[in-house]
Amino acid sequence: NNLNKIKMVKPTALVLALLATGAGAFAPASSVQRYPTKMQSSLEVVEDETADADPYDAYESSFKQKKVATRDIKKGSGYTVGESEGQLLKIKYSAKLMDSKYTADLKAFNVEGMVFKTGEQRCLPGLEEGIQGMQLGGVRKIRVPPNKGYGDQWYRGIVPPSSHLEFEAELIDIAQNPVEEFKLKLEDFGYDRAAGATLCLAYLAVSPFIGNGGFANN
């Protein structure tokens, strides 16, 4: 009898042991505690770093780069670019090629003062996009990819095809009303030139009378 009892206990104990060890395999996924592997942890860290990367530092001079990247060197104050449409601005800027095999001289891009109205396509698209949000007196570096620069063609024999450009722009003035616009345009045209043009127009206006012997003969 004792021998029969021992024989019955062994299969029963074996079944219980199998159930105990295999219980985890049939448990709900939420109840099973998992620990990330070293590879998973490192991948998660890389993804987080990429998400938080500064667009300016992450800028690549390759065909994959399609977005403008900026970095403020000096914060301005007062009027802001983009507060309204069609703003008349005056900016100062310089430019250089990024990672280019060419040694092009970009002194032609050292502009002391450029006056233009936003939205009129008189400014390079990437440069105009890059100055959005700047305030008076602010200085900003702007990296421009070819699709928002000069494209895949030579520009004036200076900028090679598919060039990535880095501008350093300073916002000098923003006109906020017609009077300020007139003043800014006059400054851009030049006071001396404006005075000379005024004298020329005045002379043209009175020249018919002078040719006829003066005002007295009329």
Side-chain angles (χ1 to χ4, degrees):
N1 292 334
N2 292 334
L3 183 61
N4 290 334
K5 288 181 180 180
I6 292 171
K7 289 180 179 179
M8 291 177 62
V9 168
K10 284 184 177 179
T12 304
L14 181 61
V15 170
L16 291 174
L18 287 172
L19 288 174
T21 56
F26 298 98
S30 59
S31 65
V32 179
Q33 188 172 5
R34 292 185 174 89
Y35 297 93
T37 63
K38 291 183 178 180
M39 183 178 292
Q40 288 174 333
S41 300
S42 61
L43 285 174
E44 288 174 0
V45 170
V46 170
E47 289 175 356
D48 291 340
E49 288 178 354
T50 303
D52 297 337
D54 186 333
Y56 186 86
D57 291 331
Y59 188 99
E60 295 182 1
S61 300
S62 70
F63 68 93
K64 295 180 181 179
Q65 184 70 42
K66 303 296 182 183
K67 294 183 178 180
V68 172
T70 64
R71 171 169 290 169
D72 286 320
I73 304 301
K74 176 186 175 184
K75 292 283 188 179
S77 61
Y79 296 149
T80 304
V81 178
E83 284 182 333
S84 59
E85 295 181 356
Q87 291 174 302
L88 189 68
L89 313 176
K90 184 175 183 180
I91 63 172
K92 171 184 177 181
Y93 67 86
S94 60
K96 67 178 182 179
L97 297 171
M98 295 180 61
D99 301 327
S100 175
K101 63 181 179 180
Y102 299 96
T103 56
D105 184 3
L106 293 185
K107 288 184 179 179
F109 287 83
N110 293 337
V111 179
E112 291 297 321
M114 175 183 176
V115 175
F116 67 97
K117 185 169 284 190
T118 58
E120 291 189 347
Q121 299 181 347
R122 290 188 56 215
C123 182
L124 197 69
L127 179 57
E128 184 169 337
E129 179 182 332
I131 64 174
Q132 295 297 310
M134 287 185 70
Q135 294 180 299
L136 281 176
V139 180
R140 177 178 290 177
K141 285 191 175 183
I142 304 166
R143 290 180 170 176
V144 178
N147 64 306
K148 295 189 177 182
Y150 295 107
D152 58 359
Q153 303 292 327
W154 276 92
Y155 176 72
R156 293 170 54 184
I158 300 175
V159 181
S162 303
S163 290
H164 293 258
L165 298 169
E166 182 175 273
F167 291 87
E168 184 169 315
E170 178 181 354
L171 182 60
I172 298 174
D173 203 355
I174 303 179
Q176 292 293 311
N177 54 58
V179 175
E180 290 183 1
E181 283 193 12
F182 176 77
K183 180 182 177 182
L184 191 54
K185 289 179 179 179
L186 186 60
E187 289 178 357
D188 182 52
F189 185 74
Y191 290 108
D192 293 338
R193 291 172 63 190
T198 302
L199 288 174
C200 288
L201 289 173
Y203 175 78
L204 291 174
V206 301
S207 59
F209 300 102
I210 297 174
N212 291 329
F215 295 98
N217 294 332
N218 293 327

